[in-house]
Coordinates of all heavy atoms in Angstrom, one line a residue:
P152 N -20.5 -111.1 -154.4 CA -21.8 -110.5 -154.0 C -22.2 -111.1 -152.6 O -21.9 -112.2 -152.3 CB -22.8 -110.8 -155.1 CG -22.2 -111.9 -155.8 CD -20.7 -111.9 -155.6
I153 N -23.0 -110.3 -151.9 CA -23.5 -110.7 -150.6 C -25.1 -110.7 -150.8 O -25.6 -109.8 -151.3 CB -23.2 -109.7 -149.5 CG1 -21.7 -109.4 -149.5 CG2 -23.5 -110.3 -148.1 CD1 -21.4 -108.1 -148.7
E154 N -25.7 -111.8 -150.3 CA -27.1 -111.8 -150.2 C -27.5 -111.2 -148.8 O -27.0 -111.7 -147.8 CB -27.7 -113.2 -150.2 CG -27.6 -113.9 -151.6 CD -28.4 -113.2 -152.6 OE1 -29.6 -112.9 -152.3 OE2 -27.9 -112.9 -153.7
V155 N -28.4 -110.2 -148.8 CA -28.8 -109.6 -147.5 C -30.3 -109.7 -147.4 O -31.0 -109.3 -148.2 CB -28.4 -108.1 -147.5 CG1 -28.9 -107.4 -146.3 CG2 -26.9 -108.0 -147.6
E156 N -30.7 -110.4 -146.3 CA -32.1 -110.5 -146.0 C -32.4 -109.5 -144.9 O -31.7 -109.4 -143.9 CB -32.4 -111.9 -145.5 CG -33.9 -112.1 -145.2 CD -34.2 -113.5 -144.8 OE1 -33.5 -114.5 -145.2 OE2 -35.2 -113.7 -144.0
L157 N -33.5 -108.8 -145.0 CA -34.0 -107.9 -144.0 C -35.1 -108.5 -143.2 O -36.1 -108.8 -143.7 CB -34.5 -106.6 -144.7 CG -33.5 -105.9 -145.7 CD1 -34.1 -104.6 -146.2 CD2 -32.1 -105.7 -145.1
A158 N -34.8 -108.8 -141.9 CA -35.7 -109.6 -141.1 C -37.1 -109.0 -141.0 O -38.1 -109.7 -141.0 CB -35.1 -109.9 -139.8
Q159 N -37.2 -107.7 -140.8 CA -38.5 -107.1 -140.5 C -39.3 -107.0 -141.8 O -40.6 -107.1 -141.7 CB -38.3 -105.7 -139.9 CG -37.7 -105.9 -138.5 CD -37.3 -104.5 -137.9 OE1 -37.9 -103.5 -138.3 NE2 -36.3 -104.5 -137.0
S160 N -38.7 -106.7 -142.9 CA -39.5 -106.6 -144.1 C -39.6 -107.8 -145.0 O -40.4 -107.9 -145.9 CB -39.0 -105.4 -145.0 OG -37.7 -105.7 -145.4
G161 N -38.7 -108.8 -144.7 CA -38.7 -110.0 -145.5 C -38.0 -109.8 -146.8 O -38.0 -110.7 -147.6
M162 N -37.5 -108.6 -147.1 CA -36.8 -108.3 -148.4 C -35.5 -109.0 -148.5 O -34.8 -109.1 -147.5 CB -36.6 -106.8 -148.4 CG -36.8 -106.2 -149.7 SD -36.3 -104.4 -149.5 CE -37.9 -103.7 -149.9
T163 N -35.1 -109.5 -149.7 CA -33.8 -110.0 -149.9 C -33.2 -109.3 -151.0 O -33.8 -109.1 -152.1 CB -33.8 -111.5 -150.2 OG1 -34.5 -112.2 -149.2 CG2 -32.4 -112.1 -150.3
L164 N -31.9 -108.8 -150.8 CA -31.2 -108.0 -151.8 C -29.9 -108.5 -152.1 O -29.3 -109.2 -151.2 CB -31.1 -106.5 -151.3 CG -32.4 -105.8 -151.0 CD1 -32.1 -104.6 -150.1 CD2 -33.1 -105.4 -152.3
T165 N -29.3 -108.3 -153.3 CA -28.0 -108.7 -153.6 C -27.1 -107.5 -153.6 O -27.4 -106.5 -154.3 CB -28.0 -109.4 -155.0 OG1 -28.9 -110.5 -154.9 CG2 -26.6 -109.9 -155.3
V166 N -26.0 -107.6 -152.9 CA -25.1 -106.4 -152.8 C -23.8 -106.8 -153.6 O -23.0 -107.6 -153.3 CB -24.6 -106.1 -151.3 CG1 -23.6 -105.0 -151.3 CG2 -25.9 -105.8 -150.5
P167 N -23.7 -106.2 -154.8 CA -22.5 -106.4 -155.6 C -21.2 -105.9 -155.0 O -21.3 -105.0 -154.1 CB -22.8 -105.7 -156.9 CG -23.8 -104.6 -156.6 CD -24.5 -105.1 -155.4
S168 N -20.1 -106.3 -155.5 CA -18.8 -106.0 -154.8 C -18.5 -104.5 -154.9 O -17.7 -103.9 -154.2 CB -17.7 -106.8 -155.3 OG -17.7 -107.0 -156.6
D169 N -19.1 -103.8 -155.9 CA -18.8 -102.4 -156.1 C -19.8 -101.4 -155.4 O -19.7 -100.2 -155.7 CB -18.7 -102.0 -157.6 CG -20.0 -102.3 -158.4 OD1 -20.8 -103.0 -157.8 OD2 -20.1 -101.8 -159.5
K170 N -20.7 -102.0 -154.6 CA -21.6 -101.1 -153.9 C -21.6 -101.5 -152.4 O -21.4 -102.7 -152.1 CB -23.0 -101.3 -154.5 CG -23.2 -100.6 -155.7 CD -24.7 -100.5 -156.1 CE -24.9 -99.8 -157.5 NZ -26.2 -100.1 -158.1
S171 N -22.0 -100.5 -151.6 CA -22.1 -100.8 -150.2 C -23.5 -101.4 -149.9 O -24.4 -101.2 -150.7 CB -21.8 -99.5 -149.4 OG -22.9 -98.6 -149.6
I172 N -23.6 -102.0 -148.7 CA -24.9 -102.5 -148.3 C -25.9 -101.3 -148.2 O -27.0 -101.3 -148.7 CB -24.8 -103.2 -147.0 CG1 -23.9 -104.5 -147.1 CG2 -26.2 -103.6 -146.5 CD1 -23.7 -105.2 -145.8
L173 N -25.4 -100.2 -147.6 CA -26.2 -99.0 -147.5 C -26.7 -98.5 -148.8 O -27.9 -98.2 -149.0 CB -25.3 -97.9 -146.8 CG -26.0 -96.5 -146.7 CD1 -27.2 -96.6 -145.7 CD2 -25.0 -95.5 -146.1
E174 N -25.8 -98.4 -149.8 CA -26.3 -98.0 -151.2 C -27.4 -98.8 -151.7 O -28.4 -98.3 -152.3 CB -25.1 -98.0 -152.2 CG -24.1 -96.9 -152.0 CD -22.9 -97.1 -153.0 OE1 -22.2 -98.1 -152.9 OE2 -22.7 -96.2 -153.8
V175 N -27.2 -100.2 -151.6 CA -28.2 -101.1 -152.2 C -29.5 -100.9 -151.5 O -30.6 -100.9 -152.1 CB -27.7 -102.5 -152.1 CG1 -28.8 -103.5 -152.5 CG2 -26.5 -102.7 -153.1
L176 N -29.5 -100.8 -150.1 CA -30.7 -100.6 -149.4 C -31.4 -99.3 -149.8 O -32.6 -99.3 -150.0 CB -30.4 -100.6 -147.9 CG -29.9 -101.9 -147.2 CD1 -29.9 -101.8 -145.7 CD2 -30.8 -103.1 -147.6
T177 N -30.7 -98.3 -149.9 CA -31.2 -97.0 -150.2 C -31.8 -97.0 -151.6 O -33.0 -96.5 -151.8 CB -30.1 -95.9 -150.1 OG1 -29.5 -95.9 -148.8 CG2 -30.7 -94.5 -150.3
E178 N -31.2 -97.6 -152.5 CA -31.7 -97.7 -153.9 C -33.0 -98.5 -153.9 O -33.8 -98.3 -154.8 CB -30.7 -98.4 -154.8 CG -29.6 -97.4 -155.2 CD -28.4 -98.1 -156.0 OE1 -28.6 -99.3 -156.4 OE2 -27.4 -97.5 -156.1
A179 N -33.1 -99.5 -153.0 CA -34.3 -100.3 -152.9 C -35.4 -99.6 -152.2 O -36.5 -100.2 -152.0 CB -34.0 -101.6 -152.3
G180 N -35.2 -98.4 -151.7 CA -36.2 -97.6 -151.0 C -36.3 -97.9 -149.5 O -37.3 -97.5 -148.9
V181 N -35.3 -98.6 -149.0 CA -35.3 -98.9 -147.6 C -34.8 -97.7 -146.8 O -33.7 -97.2 -147.2 CB -34.5 -100.2 -147.2 CG1 -34.5 -100.5 -145.7 CG2 -34.9 -101.3 -148.0
E182 N -35.5 -97.2 -145.8 CA -35.0 -96.1 -145.1 C -34.0 -96.5 -144.0 O -34.4 -97.2 -143.1 CB -36.2 -95.3 -144.4 CG -37.1 -94.8 -145.5 CD -37.6 -93.4 -145.2 OE1 -37.1 -92.8 -144.2 OE2 -38.4 -92.9 -145.9
V183 N -32.8 -96.0 -144.1 CA -31.8 -96.3 -143.2 C -31.1 -95.0 -142.8 O -30.8 -94.2 -143.6 CB -30.7 -97.2 -143.8 CG1 -29.9 -98.0 -142.7 CG2 -31.3 -98.2 -144.7
D184 N -30.8 -94.9 -141.5 CA -30.1 -93.7 -141.0 C -28.7 -93.8 -141.4 O -28.1 -94.8 -141.2 CB -30.2 -93.6 -139.5 CG -31.6 -93.1 -139.0 OD1 -32.3 -92.5 -139.8 OD2 -32.0 -93.4 -137.9
A185 N -28.1 -92.7 -141.9 CA -26.7 -92.7 -142.2 C -26.2 -91.3 -142.2 O -27.0 -90.4 -142.4 CB -26.4 -93.3 -143.6
S186 N -24.9 -91.1 -142.0 CA -24.4 -89.7 -142.0 C -23.1 -89.7 -142.7 O -23.0 -89.2 -143.9 CB -24.3 -89.3 -140.6 OG -23.7 -88.0 -140.5
C187 N -22.0 -90.2 -142.1 CA -20.7 -90.0 -142.7 C -20.5 -90.8 -144.0 O -19.8 -90.4 -144.9 CB -19.6 -90.3 -141.7 SG -19.5 -92.1 -141.3
E188 N -21.1 -92.0 -144.0 CA -20.9 -93.0 -145.1 C -19.4 -93.4 -145.3 O -19.0 -93.8 -146.3 CB -21.5 -92.5 -146.4 CG -23.0 -92.3 -146.2 CD -23.8 -92.0 -147.5 OE1 -23.3 -92.4 -148.6 OE2 -24.9 -91.5 -147.4
E189 N -18.6 -93.2 -144.2 CA -17.3 -93.7 -144.3 C -16.8 -94.5 -143.1 O -15.6 -94.7 -142.9 CB -16.3 -92.6 -144.7 CG -16.4 -91.4 -143.7 CD -15.5 -90.2 -144.2 OE1 -15.2 -90.1 -145.4 OE2 -15.1 -89.5 -143.3
G190 N -17.8 -94.9 -142.3 CA -17.4 -95.8 -141.2 C -16.9 -95.1 -140.0 O -16.2 -95.8 -139.1
T191 N -17.2 -93.8 -139.8 CA -16.6 -93.1 -138.6 C -17.6 -92.6 -137.6 O -17.2 -92.3 -136.5 CB -15.7 -91.9 -139.1 OG1 -16.5 -91.1 -139.9 CG2 -14.5 -92.4 -139.9
C192 N -18.9 -92.5 -138.0 CA -19.8 -91.8 -137.1 C -20.7 -92.8 -136.3 O -21.1 -92.4 -135.2 CB -20.7 -90.9 -137.9 SG -22.0 -91.7 -138.9
G193 N -21.0 -94.0 -136.8 CA -21.8 -94.9 -136.0 C -23.3 -94.8 -136.3 O -24.0 -95.6 -135.7
T194 N -23.7 -93.9 -137.1 CA -25.2 -93.7 -137.3 C -25.8 -94.9 -138.0 O -27.0 -95.2 -137.7 CB -25.4 -92.5 -138.2 OG1 -24.7 -91.4 -137.7 CG2 -26.9 -92.1 -138.4
C195 N -25.1 -95.6 -138.9 CA -25.8 -96.6 -139.7 C -25.7 -98.0 -139.0 O -25.9 -99.0 -139.7 CB -25.1 -96.6 -141.0 SG -23.4 -97.2 -141.0
E196 N -25.4 -98.0 -137.8 CA -25.2 -99.3 -137.1 C -26.5 -100.2 -137.2 O -27.6 -99.7 -136.9 CB -24.9 -99.1 -135.6 CG -24.7 -100.4 -134.8 CD -24.1 -100.2 -133.5 OE1 -23.6 -99.1 -133.2 OE2 -24.2 -101.1 -132.7
V197 N -26.3 -101.4 -137.5 CA -27.5 -102.3 -137.7 C -27.1 -103.6 -136.9 O -26.0 -104.1 -136.9 CB -27.7 -102.6 -139.2 CG1 -28.6 -103.8 -139.4 CG2 -28.3 -101.4 -139.8
M198 N -28.1 -104.3 -136.3 CA -27.9 -105.5 -135.7 C -27.9 -106.7 -136.7 O -28.7 -106.7 -137.7 CB -29.1 -105.8 -134.7 CG -29.2 -104.8 -133.6 SD -27.7 -104.6 -132.6 CE -27.6 -106.1 -131.7
V199 N -26.9 -107.6 -136.5 CA -26.8 -108.7 -137.4 C -27.4 -109.9 -136.8 O -27.1 -110.3 -135.7 CB -25.3 -109.0 -137.7 CG1 -25.1 -110.2 -138.6 CG2 -24.6 -107.8 -138.3
L200 N -28.3 -110.6 -137.5 CA -29.0 -111.7 -136.9 C -28.5 -113.0 -137.4 O -28.5 -114.0 -136.7 CB -30.5 -111.6 -137.3 CG -31.2 -110.4 -136.8 CD1 -32.7 -110.3 -137.3 CD2 -31.2 -110.2 -135.3
E201 N -27.9 -113.1 -138.6 CA -27.3 -114.3 -139.1 C -26.2 -113.9 -140.0 O -26.2 -112.8 -140.6 CB -28.3 -115.1 -139.9 CG -29.2 -116.0 -139.1 CD -30.2 -116.8 -140.1 OE1 -29.7 -117.2 -141.1 OE2 -31.3 -116.8 -139.7
G202 N -25.2 -114.7 -140.1 CA -24.0 -114.4 -141.0 C -22.9 -113.7 -140.2 O -23.1 -113.4 -139.1
T203 N -21.8 -113.6 -140.9 CA -20.6 -113.0 -140.3 C -20.2 -111.7 -140.9 O -19.7 -111.8 -142.1 CB -19.4 -114.0 -140.3 OG1 -19.9 -115.3 -139.8 CG2 -18.2 -113.6 -139.5
P204 N -20.3 -110.6 -140.2 CA -19.8 -109.3 -140.9 C -18.3 -109.2 -141.0 O -17.6 -109.9 -140.2 CB -20.4 -108.3 -139.9 CG -20.6 -109.0 -138.6 CD -20.9 -110.4 -138.9
E205 N -17.9 -108.5 -142.0 CA -16.5 -108.2 -142.1 C -16.4 -106.6 -141.9 O -16.8 -105.9 -142.8 CB -16.0 -108.5 -143.6 CG -14.6 -108.2 -143.8 CD -14.2 -108.6 -145.3 OE1 -13.9 -109.7 -145.5 OE2 -14.3 -107.7 -146.1
H206 N -15.8 -106.3 -140.8 CA -15.9 -104.9 -140.4 C -14.8 -104.0 -141.1 O -13.7 -104.3 -141.1 CB -15.7 -104.8 -138.9 CG -16.7 -105.6 -138.1 ND1 -18.0 -105.1 -138.0 CD2 -16.6 -106.7 -137.4 CE1 -18.7 -106.0 -137.3 NE2 -17.9 -107.0 -136.9
H207 N -15.3 -102.8 -141.6 CA -14.3 -101.9 -142.2 C -14.5 -100.5 -141.5 O -14.0 -99.5 -142.1 CB -14.6 -101.8 -143.7 CG -14.2 -103.0 -144.4 ND1 -13.0 -103.5 -144.6 CD2 -15.0 -104.0 -145.0 CE1 -13.0 -104.6 -145.3 NE2 -14.2 -104.9 -145.5
D208 N -15.2 -100.4 -140.5 CA -15.5 -99.1 -139.8 C -14.4 -98.9 -138.7 O -13.6 -99.8 -138.5 CB -16.8 -99.1 -139.1 CG -16.8 -100.2 -138.0 OD1 -17.0 -101.4 -138.2 OD2 -16.6 -99.8 -136.8
V209 N -14.4 -97.7 -138.1 CA -13.5 -97.4 -137.0 C -14.3 -97.1 -135.7 O -13.7 -96.5 -134.8 CB -12.5 -96.3 -137.4 CG1 -11.6 -96.6 -138.5 CG2 -13.3 -95.0 -137.7
V210 N -15.5 -97.5 -135.7 CA -16.4 -97.2 -134.6 C -16.5 -98.3 -133.5 O -16.4 -98.0 -132.3 CB -17.8 -96.9 -135.1 CG1 -18.8 -96.6 -133.9 CG2 -17.8 -95.7 -136.1
L211 N -16.6 -99.5 -134.0 CA -16.8 -100.6 -133.0 C -15.5 -100.9 -132.3 O -14.4 -100.8 -132.8 CB -17.2 -101.9 -133.8 CG -18.6 -101.8 -134.5 CD1 -18.8 -103.1 -135.3 CD2 -19.7 -101.6 -133.5
T212 N -15.8 -101.4 -131.0 CA -14.6 -101.9 -130.2 C -14.2 -103.3 -130.7 O -15.0 -103.9 -131.4 CB -15.0 -101.9 -128.7 OG1 -16.0 -102.9 -128.6 CG2 -15.5 -100.6 -128.2
E213 N -13.1 -103.7 -130.2 CA -12.6 -105.0 -130.6 C -13.6 -106.1 -130.2 O -13.9 -107.0 -131.0 CB -11.2 -105.3 -129.9 CG -10.4 -106.3 -130.6 CD -10.2 -106.0 -132.1 OE1 -9.9 -104.9 -132.4 OE2 -10.3 -107.0 -132.8
S214 N -14.2 -106.0 -129.0 CA -15.1 -107.0 -128.6 C -16.4 -107.0 -129.4 O -17.0 -108.0 -129.7 CB -15.3 -106.9 -127.1 OG -15.9 -105.7 -126.7
E215 N -16.9 -105.8 -129.7 CA -18.1 -105.7 -130.6 C -17.8 -106.3 -131.9 O -18.7 -107.0 -132.5 CB -18.5 -104.2 -130.7 CG -19.1 -103.6 -129.5 CD -19.4 -102.1 -129.7 OE1 -18.5 -101.4 -130.2 OE2 -20.4 -101.6 -129.2
R216 N -16.6 -106.1 -132.5 CA -16.2 -106.6 -133.7 C -16.3 -108.1 -133.7 O -16.8 -108.8 -134.6 CB -14.8 -106.3 -134.0 CG -14.6 -105.3 -135.1 CD -13.1 -104.8 -135.1 NE -13.2 -103.4 -134.8 CZ -13.6 -102.5 -135.7 NH1 -13.8 -102.9 -136.9 NH2 -13.6 -101.3 -135.4
E217 N -15.7 -108.7 -132.6 CA -15.6 -110.1 -132.5 C -17.0 -110.7 -132.3 O -17.3 -111.9 -132.7 CB -14.7 -110.5 -131.3 CG -13.3 -110.5 -131.8 CD -12.3 -110.6 -130.6 OE1 -12.7 -111.0 -129.5 OE2 -11.1 -110.2 -130.8
S218 N -17.9 -110.0 -131.6 CA -19.2 -110.6 -131.3 C -20.0 -110.8 -132.6 O -20.8 -111.7 -132.7 CB -20.0 -109.7 -130.4 OG -20.5 -108.6 -131.1
G219 N -19.7 -109.9 -133.6 CA -20.4 -110.0 -134.9 C -21.9 -109.7 -134.8 O -22.7 -110.1 -135.6
E220 N -22.3 -109.0 -133.7 CA -23.8 -108.8 -133.5 C -24.2 -107.5 -134.1 O -25.4 -107.3 -134.2 CB -24.1 -108.8 -132.0 CG -24.0 -110.1 -131.4 CD -24.1 -110.1 -129.8 OE1 -24.1 -109.0 -129.3 OE2 -24.1 -111.2 -129.3
C221 N -23.3 -106.6 -134.5 CA -23.7 -105.4 -135.1 C -22.7 -105.0 -136.2 O -21.5 -105.5 -136.1 CB -23.9 -104.3 -134.1 SG -22.5 -104.1 -133.0
M222 N -23.1 -104.1 -137.1 CA -22.1 -103.7 -138.1 C -22.5 -102.3 -138.6 O -23.7 -101.9 -138.5 CB -22.1 -104.7 -139.2 CG -23.4 -104.7 -140.0 SD -23.4 -106.1 -141.3 CE -22.1 -105.5 -142.4
M223 N -21.6 -101.6 -139.2 CA -21.9 -100.3 -139.9 C -22.0 -100.7 -141.4 O -21.1 -101.0 -142.1 CB -20.7 -99.4 -139.8 CG -20.3 -99.1 -138.3 SD -21.6 -98.4 -137.4 CE -21.2 -98.9 -135.8
I224 N -23.3 -100.5 -141.9 CA -23.5 -101.0 -143.2 C -23.1 -100.0 -144.3 O -23.1 -100.3 -145.5 CB -25.0 -101.3 -143.4 CG1 -25.9 -100.0 -143.1 CG2 -25.5 -102.5 -142.6 CD1 -27.3 -100.2 -143.5
C225 N -22.5 -98.8 -144.0 CA -22.0 -98.0 -145.0 C -20.7 -98.5 -145.6 O -20.4 -98.2 -146.7 CB -21.9 -96.5 -144.5 SG -20.7 -96.3 -143.2
V226 N -19.9 -99.2 -144.7 CA -18.6 -99.6 -145.2 C -18.3 -101.1 -145.0 O -17.5 -101.7 -145.7 CB -17.4 -98.8 -144.5 CG1 -17.4 -97.4 -145.0 CG2 -17.5 -98.9 -143.0
S227 N -19.0 -101.7 -144.0 CA -18.7 -103.1 -143.7 C -19.4 -104.0 -144.6 O -20.5 -103.7 -145.2 CB -19.0 -103.4 -142.3 OG -18.2 -102.6 -141.4
R228 N -18.8 -105.2 -144.8 CA -19.3 -106.2 -145.7 C -19.5 -107.5 -145.0 O -19.9 -107.5 -143.8 CB -18.4 -106.3 -147.0 CG -18.2 -104.9 -147.6 CD -17.5 -105.1 -149.0 NE -18.3 -105.8 -149.9 CZ -19.3 -105.2 -150.7 NH1 -19.5 -103.9 -150.6 NH2 -20.0 -105.9 -151.5
A229 N -19.3 -108.6 -145.6 CA -19.5 -109.9 -145.0 C -18.5 -110.9 -145.3 O -18.0 -110.9 -146.5 CB -20.9 -110.4 -145.4
K230 N -18.1 -111.7 -144.3 CA -17.2 -112.8 -144.6 C -18.1 -114.0 -145.1 O -17.6 -114.8 -145.9 CB -16.5 -113.3 -143.3 CG -15.5 -112.3 -142.9 CD -14.8 -112.8 -141.6 CE -13.8 -111.8 -141.1 NZ -13.6 -111.8 -139.7
S231 N -19.3 -114.0 -144.7 CA -20.2 -115.1 -145.2 C -20.9 -114.6 -146.5 O -20.8 -113.4 -146.8 CB -21.3 -115.4 -144.1 OG -21.9 -114.1 -143.7
K232 N -21.5 -115.5 -147.2 CA -22.2 -115.0 -148.5 C -23.6 -114.5 -148.1 O -24.3 -113.9 -149.0 CB -22.4 -116.2 -149.4 CG -21.1 -116.7 -150.0 CD -21.3 -117.5 -151.3 CE -20.1 -118.0 -151.9 NZ -19.0 -117.0 -152.0
F233 N -24.0 -114.6 -146.9 CA -25.4 -114.3 -146.5 C -25.4 -113.5 -145.2 O -24.6 -113.8 -144.3 CB -26.2 -115.5 -146.4 CG -27.6 -115.3 -145.8 CD1 -28.6 -114.8 -146.6 CD2 -27.9 -115.6 -144.5 CE1 -29.9 -114.6 -146.1 CE2 -29.2 -115.4 -144.0 CZ -30.2 -114.9 -144.8
L234 N -26.1 -112.4 -145.1 CA -26.3 -111.7 -143.9 C -27.8 -111.5 -143.7 O -28.5 -111.2 -144.6 CB -25.7 -110.3 -144.0 CG -24.2 -110.1 -143.8 CD1 -23.9 -108.7 -144.0 CD2 -23.7 -110.7 -142.5
K235 N -28.2 -111.7 -142.4 CA -29.6 -111.3 -142.1 C -29.5 -110.2 -141.1 O -28.9 -110.3 -140.1 CB -30.3 -112.5 -141.4 CG -31.8 -112.3 -141.2 CD -32.4 -113.7 -140.8 CE -33.9 -113.6 -140.6 NZ -34.4 -114.9 -140.3
L236 N -30.2 -109.1 -141.5 CA -30.1 -107.8 -140.7 C -31.4 -107.5 -140.0 O -32.5 -107.8 -140.6 CB -29.6 -106.7 -141.6 CG -28.3 -106.8 -142.3 CD1 -28.0 -105.6 -143.2 CD2 -27.2 -107.0 -141.3
D237 N -31.3 -106.9 -138.9 CA -32.5 -106.5 -138.2 C -33.1 -105.2 -138.7 O -33.1 -104.1 -138.1 CB -32.2 -106.4 -136.7 CG -33.4 -106.2 -135.8 OD1 -34.5 -106.5 -136.3 OD2 -33.3 -105.8 -134.7
L238 N -33.6 -105.2 -139.9 CA -34.2 -104.1 -140.6 C -35.5 -104.5 -141.2 O -35.7 -105.6 -141.6 CB -33.2 -103.6 -141.7 CG -32.0 -102.7 -141.3 CD1 -31.1 -102.5 -142.5 CD2 -32.4 -101.4 -140.7
Ligands
FES158 FE1 -21.3 -93.1 -140.4 FE2 -22.0 -95.5 -141.4 S1 -22.9 -93.6 -141.8 S2 -20.5 -95.1 -139.8

């Protein structure tokens, strides 16, 4: 599981391995823009403030991936146990 903290609302959520970050946020009533939900459109891009994302999308460039500053929350997860997102 990944612990996700939302910097703007102060909310902390647990994302189990069988759910996406997007699914957990949506279930918690957090409004997030999303479209394809398969990592191809770029709509759900979120800035990462802490932690290391594990990218599973096909949108980001190699350098964006390495910077770890943003991620697609519909498919991407985390290498760290904790992520702080700009939401
Ligand atoms: Fe399309 Fe996440 S909703 S990349």
Side-chain angles (χ1 to χ4, degrees):
I153 313 164
E154 288 296 314
V155 177
E156 181 180 333
L157 308 185
Q159 291 170 29
S160 62
M162 216 187 243
T163 303
L164 299 163
T165 303
V166 179
S168 44
D169 61 344
K170 280 191 185 163
S171 68
I172 298 175
L173 176 64
E174 280 176 304
V175 171
L176 294 188
T177 305
E178 282 172 14
V181 181
E182 297 224 4
V183 200
D184 285 336
S186 176
C187 71
E188 298 189 22
E189 53 185 28
T191 56
C192 73
T194 308
C195 67
E196 180 170 348
V197 166
M198 300 304 290
V199 179
L200 303 176
E201 277 178 44
T203 308
E205 179 182 276
H206 301 289
H207 294 290
D208 66 278
V209 295
V210 178
L211 294 175
T212 64
E213 203 53 45
S214 59
E215 284 174 322
R216 246 168 247 286
E217 277 166 22
S218 80
E220 288 172 355
C221 54
M222 67 185 295
M223 302 303 152
I224 54 169
C225 64
V226 289
S227 295
R228 305 189 65 84
K230 287 180 183 153
S231 50
K232 291 202 180 315
F233 173 76
L234 282 178
K235 187 168 180 177
L236 301 178
D237 189 17
L238 280 173

